[in-house]
Amino acid sequence: MSISLRRSVLRWLALPWWAAQLLTGAKSFRDNPLIGSKWLNRLGLHGWRVRAAHRLAACRREKLGKRLSAEDRAQFAAQGYVLVRDFLPEEDFAALKHAVLARVSPAREMVQGDAITRRIAIDAAMLRDVPVLARLIRMPRWASLMRYVASFDSEPLYYIQTILTHRADAPPDPQLHLHADTFHPTMKAWFFLSDVADEDGPLTYVPGSHHLTPERLAWERERALKAPEGVDFLSARGSMRIEAEELPALGLPGATRFAVPANTLVVADTCGFHARGSSSRPAIRIEIWAYNRRNPFLPWCGLDVLSLPGLAERRIIALWALRDRLKRWVGQPWAPAGLITADHDRPTHG
């Protein structure tokens, strides 16, 4: 059998798998020829996936919103994020910060451009050793915000995250470019353990960019028709980049830079445009970072077995171990960084 014929047979055999992915969060225009099909996207495939995912998220949030205050719901509706300063009482925050920064833990890190992102899993051992941290993520307002913005009644993945800027002689960090994480509503949260100055590369977010307006939908269609070869690599993988000068045409303002004091919580729908802000100096940013992304086409809010106590706090370690085993086929950008503290200020990734 010739190589071209073998490839053709394999593509036909993979067709049911690619088709099944259309009803999941799969987003790569490069890796799935149906998602990346210009013919199907001219017929409206990408637009249908975007609209259906947003409608379902709105229905789920309507159910989950009863647990949230009217003020938090209004802030999210207007901006796409909820920002809460002084989330914890001063004494509790001081105890939390001291305990987290004093703990030596196994870490992983990834180098992107000239920046390093380092993560420490908030796992069963850390929650046992740092009870003030366990109390934080079980606080009713905290838990309700995470679930409402995610649109799912499920437990996020939690990390202690450290961002180190200007740490390598390399091109700029690609996370400085405004982007949407994916085509559907999803959640990330940042609880800052250190003050974030404007010159230190704060989180940025375009207020209101989580709304699926006609302008945003037209932009999504136009980008889908260019992908995968007509856009940058990360956009082709489904995390669409946008230039600041494109925002006015979508009826959007410029990005807000979150130069905020420690003890500030930001919970955002990262279908909205966001980025790391540029930094003018080497800096270190330390935060509790949360992430929640489920299949956007699920009509229900809960029924997440992996959120059950005893399983939820063990997911990250299991995911790291699984990817280590499969790195030959799927890659593993998160390299072990040894046993360190979250405020370790030197690169450890060879």
Side-chain angles (χ1 to χ4, degrees):
M1 182 183 294
S2 67
I3 293 176
S4 60
L5 180 59
R6 186 182 300 118
R7 288 176 177 170
S8 180
V9 170
L10 290 174
R11 286 175 67 87
W12 278 105
L13 290 175
L15 185 60
W17 169 249
W18 291 330
Q21 288 185 336
L22 297 179
L23 292 177
T24 72
K27 61 178 183 174
S28 177
F29 297 92
R30 290 173 55 92
D31 301 329
N32 185 315
L34 299 183
I35 292 174
S37 167
K38 289 180 173 56
W39 180 72
L40 289 176
N41 287 328
R42 285 192 191 96
L43 292 177
L45 174 63
H46 181 68
W48 175 84
R49 295 182 83 219
V50 172
R51 289 192 304 271
H54 279 256
R55 282 198 300 268
L56 286 165
C59 291
R60 293 190 299 265
R61 282 178 178 148
E62 187 175 358
K63 298 174 184 176
L64 295 167
K66 299 171 185 176
R67 308 178 188 177
L68 211 58
S69 70
E71 293 77 13
D72 284 344
R73 292 198 306 271
Q75 185 184 171
F76 177 77
Q79 300 174 161
Y81 61 83
V82 178
L83 184 150
V84 185
R85 295 175 185 264
D86 300 317
F87 190 85
L88 286 176
E90 187 175 340
E91 289 186 4
D92 291 349
F93 178 74
L96 171 69
K97 181 175 179 179
H98 174 76
V100 167
L101 297 188
R103 193 176 191 274
V104 175
S105 307
R108 297 266 178 148
E109 62 185 27
M110 175 172 60
V111 178
Q112 289 183 295
D114 62 356
I116 295 172
T117 302
R118 183 178 296 144
R119 291 180 185 165
I120 294 170
I122 297 181
D123 58 7
M126 182 178 289
L127 293 174
R128 181 190 64 238
D129 296 344
V130 188
V132 65
L133 176 58
R135 289 196 297 273
L136 171 68
I137 65 176
R138 292 167 189 154
M139 289 177 64
R141 189 183 186 190
W142 175 287
S144 296
L145 279 169
M146 299 292 162
R147 284 155 172 75
Y148 180 76
V149 175
S151 82
F152 283 107
D153 188 8
S154 59
E155 190 73 0
L157 297 172
Y158 287 115
Y159 302 82
I160 307 299
Q161 177 168 273
T162 305
I163 310 294
L164 301 106
T165 63
H166 297 298
R167 288 311 199 274
D169 183 13
D173 177 5
Q175 298 305 321
L176 300 180
H177 202 149
L178 281 172
H179 62 279
D181 281 351
T182 187
F183 68 92
H184 60 87
T186 187
M187 185 279 290
K188 286 181 180 175
W190 299 258
F191 182 56
F192 299 106
L193 297 179
S194 54
D195 294 337
V196 184
D198 190 67
E199 58 266 36
D200 290 341
L203 168 70
T204 72
Y205 192 96
V206 178
S209 60
H210 65 307
H211 289 303
L212 187 61
T213 61
E215 294 82 5
R216 173 66 181 271
L217 196 56
W219 181 86
E220 289 277 349
R221 183 179 190 277
E222 181 264 334
R223 299 290 282 175
L225 292 177
K226 286 184 177 180
E229 63 279 344
V231 296
D232 63 274
F233 178 76
L234 292 173
S235 292
R237 295 291 302 274
S239 180
M240 291 291 191
R241 267 52 189 164
I242 189 169
E243 302 298 331
E245 53 267 27
E246 294 180 77
L247 296 174
L250 274 65
L252 294 171
T256 296
R257 292 170 68 90
F258 294 111
V260 294
N263 198 15
T264 297
L265 172 66
V266 177
V267 190
D269 181 349
T270 52
C271 183
F273 298 123
H274 62 287
R276 285 181 196 157
S278 58
S279 59
S280 58
R281 62 188 183 186
I284 180 170
R285 192 179 90 201
I286 307 172
E287 59 217 13
I288 295 172
W289 187 80
Y291 168 86
N292 193 344
R293 185 186 299 176
R294 292 185 70 191
N295 185 334
F297 297 105
L298 295 176
W300 54 81
C301 298
L303 301 179
D304 182 11
V305 174
L306 295 179
S307 285
L308 293 174
L311 291 177
E313 60 270 25
R314 290 172 169 81
R315 289 172 296 173
I316 295 173
I317 303 304
L319 288 169
W320 280 348
L322 178 63
R323 190 145 188 176
D324 286 344
R325 283 184 171 273
L326 299 177
K327 65 181 178 181
R328 177 179 175 184
W329 297 278
V330 300
Q332 171 54 295
W334 293 96
L339 290 168
I340 56 177
T341 57
D343 59 355
H344 183 83
D345 198 16
R346 293 186 300 279
T348 55
H349 185 176

